[in-house]
Amino acid sequence: MYKDKLYHLAYRMTGNRQEAEDVVQEAFLRVYKNLDRYDENQKFSTWIYRITTNLCIDRLRKRKAIYSLDAESSDHEGLDGYAMLPSDDRTPETEMLQSETQKIIHEAIATLPVKYKSVMILRYLQDLSLQEISEVLELPVTTVKTRVHRGREFLRKKLEHKL
């Protein structure tokens, strides 16, 4: 039930198919091992998203130490999730343009700092509410709102000359 959603989340955060598969597998192992710790008062999806997101963040932090020069150039922004919705009048040309646009947007999201990247992926690619993101990342809703706003600003600046 969650395999594909978690894979897409992990892939968007790590940008690597193999690493995303590893993250999902590790997430399910952690769920299985820690099922006794699950709080039944919370949604299961929130718990499993939190585990997956934390695993991705851990991998990105480890990677950041290796590619610290890239971290300097990752302050990019700008986009709104509605730009990725397909239109009703699909033609081969609009399909290609949309595909190119989505690629540019996903590449821009990949360059965001981790704290904005995770929020933007959960909000716009996984379509979680601010409250759900707050629960997944264990952050106050106001912090989530701020990060979504700043993430969009980063994306807007990054994409203003590309789109």
Side-chain angles (χ1 to χ4, degrees):
M1 182 171 159
Y2 293 101
K3 180 184 69 129
D4 291 339
K5 290 179 181 181
L6 295 180
Y7 172 78
H8 291 295
L9 169 64
Y11 179 71
R12 295 292 177 220
M13 289 191 71
T14 63
N16 181 296
R17 293 181 193 280
Q18 190 67 40
E19 203 167 9
E21 290 172 1
D22 292 345
V23 165
V24 173
Q25 186 173 20
E26 178 67 23
F28 281 117
L29 284 171
R30 288 198 183 181
V31 166
Y32 180 75
K33 289 179 182 177
N34 297 302
L35 206 51
D36 58 323
R37 293 184 183 175
Y38 170 63
D39 179 6
E40 293 182 16
N41 295 324
Q42 290 190 355
K43 289 173 59 177
F44 182 76
S45 61
T46 300
W47 186 57
I48 198 165
Y49 270 112
R50 181 183 308 136
I51 291 169
T52 306
T53 302
N54 288 342
L55 287 168
C56 289
I57 290 170
D58 289 345
R59 284 180 180 256
L60 291 171
R61 283 185 182 144
K62 289 177 186 173
R63 191 188 302 168
K64 185 177 178 181
I66 297 169
Y67 302 106
S68 61
L69 292 177
D70 290 337
E72 301 254 341
S73 66
S74 65
D75 291 337
H76 307 317
E77 293 257 24
L79 155 72
D80 117 358
Y82 296 107
M84 295 169 26
L85 294 176
S87 68
D88 292 333
D89 51 331
R90 296 179 144 199
T91 65
E93 183 181 2
T94 59
E95 289 284 330
M96 187 204 53
L97 289 173
Q98 182 179 356
S99 175
E100 288 177 8
T101 302
Q102 285 179 340
K103 182 180 178 200
I104 291 168
I105 291 167
H106 289 295
E107 287 172 354
I109 289 173
T111 65
L112 289 173
V114 174
K115 68 181 182 179
Y116 301 123
K117 183 179 184 178
S118 59
V119 170
M120 297 303 282
I121 289 171
L122 291 170
R123 179 72 178 121
Y124 293 109
L125 301 181
Q126 297 295 321
D127 203 29
L128 296 183
S129 70
L130 296 175
Q131 180 62 42
E132 289 172 323
I133 296 169
S134 168
E135 293 168 9
V136 167
L137 298 178
E138 296 179 330
L139 295 170
V141 174
T142 53
T143 302
V144 172
K145 285 181 186 178
T146 301
R147 289 185 182 180
V148 166
H149 175 73
R150 289 181 182 164
R152 286 198 329 233
E153 288 302 311
F154 275 122
L155 289 173
R156 187 172 291 116
K157 289 175 188 171
K158 171 72 175 173
L159 297 172
E160 67 187 350
H161 299 295
K162 292 185 178 185
L163 296 178

